[in-house]
Amino acid sequence: MGWRAEHPPHLAAGLLLLLLVNLPVTCHQDHQDAVHITAILGESVVFNCQVDFPEDIPVPYVLQWEKKVGETGQDIPIYIWYESYPTHSGEGYEGRVARVAPDSPYGAASLNLTNIRETDQGWYECKVVFLNRSPNQHKNGTWFHLDVHAPPRFSITPEDIIYVNLGDAIILKCQAEGTPTPEILWYKDANPVEPSGTVGIFNDGTELRISNIRHEDIGDYTCIARNGEGQVSHTARVIIAGGAVITMPPTNQTKLEGEKVQFSCEAKALPGNVTVKWFREGAPVAEVAALETRVTIRRDGALLINPVAADDSGQYLCEVSNGIGDPQSASAYLNVEYPAKVTFTPTVQYLPFRLAGVVQCYIKANPPLQYVTWTKDKRLLEPYQTKDIVIMNNGSLLFTRVNQNHQGRYTCTPYNAQGTQGSSGPMEVLVRKPPVFTVEPEPLYQRKVGESVEMHCEAQEAEGTQRPSVTWRRRDGLPLQKSRVRALAGNITIDTLRRQDFGIYQCVASNEVATIVADTQLVIEGTQPHAPYNVSGAATEFQVTLRWQPGYAGGPDYKQDYTIWYREAGYSDWTKVPVTPSGATSVTINRLQPGTTYEFQVNSKNTIGEGMMSKAITIRTLDVGARMKAAPTAPGPVDEKIFQNAPEGSGPKPGPPRNLTVTEVHNGFLITWQAPLERASLVHYYTIKYRTDAQWKTLNRGQIRPEETSYLVKNLVGGRTYYFRVLANSATSYESSEEVKFPVPARVKHKAITAGVVGGILFFIVAIILSVCAVKICNKRKRRKQEKVLVWSGRGYWCGVRVGEGVGVGGGGRRPRRGALRQLALR
């Protein structure tokens, strides 16, 4: 041990000589009577040691603290103090040991040890030496044992990614230091590792051995070291050697137009000759003409676009491969925001006189359009104060009934959260009369199968406008059969009529001013019936009652009969049940299984033959006792335990949801996905799961219907990384999408803080206003009470107010005389 001296050497030598000559009066108690102290690594501790003077008379003394080290228990001085002499600290204790302050609650010989190290653990002894005095038996000092506790820290961990081949044997080592000695736990994919014939945990948990790698052994292995002071964890991913694996996938990003964006796509492989390809909406980025001069793929696989343009928004996918196995891919969404802008300005637009018309403002905006301002003849237009003019959601002007006053020169200026890129050019809006029909088709054409029909339609333009074009179309959007349809000067002829020609046809006359439409119905007689529609049903535990609307019967002389086709959802065998009595449009299907989902279709027939099937509907029967319990017929959200590790329910399950993405939008974060490719009809509802650690939680409060494939969440915490999955739930089971990682930008936290501050200020202002109002109300009530006291005298109650012995009202008391009232007022 070395010693630090601030005074001349002869002073220190003299002090040591004193220590040798004078016998120290020390604590001779056994270690069993010692004081045991526990401290945390890095903290401080006080050893409380009293000084017991001979005959209670203070005398000069030397304070010496020693620590026992080594197997032999050698005493090593760590601190020596004598009044007016320099303090000496042992090697390794410099700056960490000091005598407590005189006014502290501890004994005068107490020692403060700071910045505790693990090597400080052990036995300490306090010694007090009285100078020029005979030794006595008073106990000055005591023994202390210091236990130093430290949280776990890893000394050995496995590599982050371990490449293996099937049949290999591997050892994952995980060792940790700390006090108390840490316990080591192993998990695979968030589940505790279960030892088996090929998997074992050895050497006090520090080694995980797999003797024969199988496909089910591939995954993430996490070792956790924990003791009473905390825990740490490390995860190693075991991957089959061969194909490339993405280690840092791209993440969704939002950028302003003109900024640059970089998508990461780092991969590892054995062998390591990884090739990275990038695609935008399915096309290689190098082949997208709009990106050609602005896109770069870096050596590390990252995609750089500089600068980004408004049309760059979309899905970007990176694909990695080293020539072995199938390529692996990952995608992210780029959301490019920009001020709202006008994309096209027509120089002339027309409005139809006395009809409804629209003046278009062709706009692009991201974030979405907020509002549009309009000018007419260089003056601001106020549509909300103008009759017959409305601003549509897309920013265009709707004139509900056009007149000549609406003619003029218009401009539009769009705005969104990013502002505006300016106004449109001037648009000359002219009011003209619309075209009119001179010949309209008959309201109804009835023909038999195989016959022909000719429908007539002619239109004429107004003066000063172009001649209208006349075309025909089906109202249901189905195409006309060109091989059997002939059109001439606005008239249409359909030859060799068939059942599918049945429907409503429209004659459309259009010019630059307006488009007008005339409808007619074509009925084909002598055919099989058309499909029933509007099929609906109500379920109990064991039966379903169906109702529907009949389709066209095939002619006025035909009667329809119906057959119900049904099956358990997901199974191929259909059961047919004829509907009785003949012509009925409702039926009850019995002997069904409770809590089961069924598919139903209705088929019709007449004397000619069977018609077309209705659209299939899905109905779930109630669980047994569900009506008594008033429980909903639809199943509830997937239980958390089921998603984590419990076995799934039996029965058919849908395919997994696809292309899960998380995108930051102006009012939160939009989670989107696509329906399963396989067995999508089995989906009853979707559930969104998320985690920020190992515990999965449910994001959505209610069920997400099958037709919905997006969900807006507003309360993600800035600076955290979230993991998301979407579950497609069937009647008895579910299937999960792939996991998506989404780091929330730290700036989101600042927005939340700002909103909280503003909300707090508003709450404070409202509280002040309410307090003032409450005080005024109380004062007003007090004045009223005083006025009531001055009105009546006597005993009792009146209007619920008690006024005391000398003054009162009603209820058994007497009404005072006028004189009494006057006297009371004088008082």
Side-chain angles (χ1 to χ4, degrees), residues 76 304 316 352 358 398 475 485 488 494 516 547 565 574 607 696 815 817:
I76 302 298
L304 179 67
Y316 289 80
V358 175
L398 170 64
R475 193 171 71 178
V485 175
L488 180 63
I494 306 177
I516 56 176
R547 291 179 174 80
W565 293 57
W574 290 87
T607 56
W696 285 95
R815 184 164 182 167
R817 303 185 309 278

Side-chain angles (χ1 to χ4, degrees), residues 46 85 113 136 224 261 274 330 332-333 390 394 423 461 486 495 500 553 586 588 591 685 696 745 762 794:
V46 173
Y85 278 77
L113 174 61
N136 56 33
I224 297 176
V261 65
V274 179
Y333 189 86
V390 177
N394 64 358
S423 303
E461 75 278 7
R486 292 177 287 115
D495 297 322
Q500 55 264 38
S586 66
T588 297
R591 294 191 293 277
Y685 60 97
W696 285 95
L762 292 176

Side-chain angles (χ1 to χ4, degrees), residues 447-453 494-498 501 522 524:
R447 298 291 187 274
K448 296 184 181 300
V449 173
E451 294 182 348
S452 297
V453 65
I494 306 177
D495 297 322
T496 317
L497 291 171
R498 304 172 183 174
D501 295 326
L522 175 60
I524 309 299

Side-chain angles (χ1 to χ4, degrees), residues 315-572:
Q315 201 81 15
Y316 289 80
L317 180 142
C318 76
E319 183 181 274
V320 300
S321 174
N322 66 342
I324 299 176
D326 295 329
Q328 190 180 77
S329 62
S331 63
Y333 189 86
L334 173 60
N335 179 39
V336 180
E337 295 187 349
Y338 50 88
K341 58 184 174 183
V342 179
T343 58
F344 169 66
T345 302
T347 55
V348 178
Q349 294 196 52
Y350 292 90
L351 291 176
F353 184 61
R354 293 181 179 174
L355 296 180
V358 175
V359 175
Q360 299 283 355
C361 184
Y362 298 92
I363 296 169
K364 284 181 63 176
N366 187 30
L369 179 71
Q370 291 183 334
Y371 62 93
V372 176
T373 60
W374 284 85
T375 65
K376 178 178 182 290
D377 298 329
K378 298 184 179 180
R379 292 186 177 182
L380 184 65
L381 184 65
E382 297 288 351
Y384 304 106
Q385 301 176 6
T386 307
K387 186 179 179 181
D388 300 332
I389 303 180
V390 177
I391 293 184
M392 303 170 67
N393 289 337
N394 64 358
S396 299
L397 277 184
L398 170 64
F399 298 82
T400 57
R401 183 174 176 83
V402 176
N403 59 53
Q404 290 296 336
N405 293 330
H406 296 148
Q407 188 164 289
R409 292 172 67 86
Y410 290 76
T411 65
C412 63
T413 308
Y415 294 86
N416 66 0
Q418 296 293 345
T420 181
Q421 292 191 20
S423 303
S424 69
M427 295 173 282
E428 192 72 31
V429 176
L430 304 177
V431 176
R432 297 290 186 267
K433 292 183 178 180
V436 294
F437 286 113
T438 55
V439 176
E440 293 189 46
E442 298 176 12
L444 178 67
Y445 293 91
Q446 290 182 281
R447 298 291 187 274
K448 296 184 181 300
V449 173
E451 294 182 348
S452 297
V453 65
E454 184 177 359
M455 295 180 281
H456 300 273
C457 185
E458 295 180 8
Q460 183 179 359
E461 75 278 7
E463 183 179 355
T465 63
Q466 299 177 7
R467 182 176 181 83
S469 62
V470 179
T471 57
W472 284 85
R473 67 189 181 194
R474 289 181 61 122
R475 193 171 71 178
D476 57 13
L478 295 175
L480 300 176
Q481 300 293 324
K482 294 183 180 180
S483 61
R484 297 184 293 109
V485 175
R486 292 177 287 115
L488 180 63
N491 300 328
I492 186 174
T493 301
I494 306 177
D495 297 322
T496 317
L497 291 171
R498 304 172 183 174
R499 180 176 65 171
Q500 55 264 38
D501 295 326
F502 180 100
I504 296 177
Y505 291 76
Q506 294 180 322
C507 174
V508 181
S510 179
N511 68 0
E512 75 277 17
V513 178
T515 296
I516 56 176
V517 178
D519 290 354
T520 182
Q521 184 174 16
L522 175 60
V523 174
I524 309 299
E525 298 180 355
T527 68
Q528 298 98 323
H530 290 222
Y533 61 97
N534 287 351
V535 182
S536 62
T540 63
E541 291 94 332
F542 304 101
Q543 63 185 24
V544 169
T545 299
L546 297 173
R547 291 179 174 80
W548 60 91
Q549 295 292 326
Y552 176 62
D557 300 328
Y558 295 97
K559 182 180 180 181
Q560 295 191 73
D561 289 319
Y562 302 96
T563 301
I564 306 300
W565 293 57
Y566 74 95
R567 66 177 179 179
E568 188 175 340
Y571 294 91
S572 58

Side-chain angles (χ1 to χ4, degrees), residues 46-51 61 99-102 104-111:
V46 173
F47 298 102
N48 188 15
C49 185
Q50 303 289 339
V51 178
Y61 65 93
R99 191 163 172 247
V100 298
S104 74
Y106 299 102
S110 299
L111 184 70

Side-chain angles (χ1 to χ4, degrees), residues 10-11 14 16 68-69 71 80 99 203 223 276 293 295 298 320 326 328 357 446 506 541 569 599 644 688 742 749 824:
H10 66 275
L11 294 178
L16 292 175
K68 290 191 176 294
V69 297
E71 297 180 356
I80 297 177
R99 191 163 172 247
N203 294 336
C223 70
V276 180
T293 60
V295 67
R298 296 174 36 168
V320 300
D326 295 329
Q328 190 180 77
Q446 290 182 281
Q506 294 180 322
E541 291 94 332
E599 295 179 74
Q644 288 183 346
I688 300 175
F742 183 72
K749 185 182 299 182
L824 184 61

Side-chain angles (χ1 to χ4, degrees), residues 17-34:
L17 182 60
L18 286 173
L19 289 174
L20 293 173
V21 172
N22 292 273
L23 295 175
V25 179
T26 65
C27 170
H28 299 288
Q29 61 196 50
D30 295 335
H31 287 185
Q32 293 178 351
D33 298 328

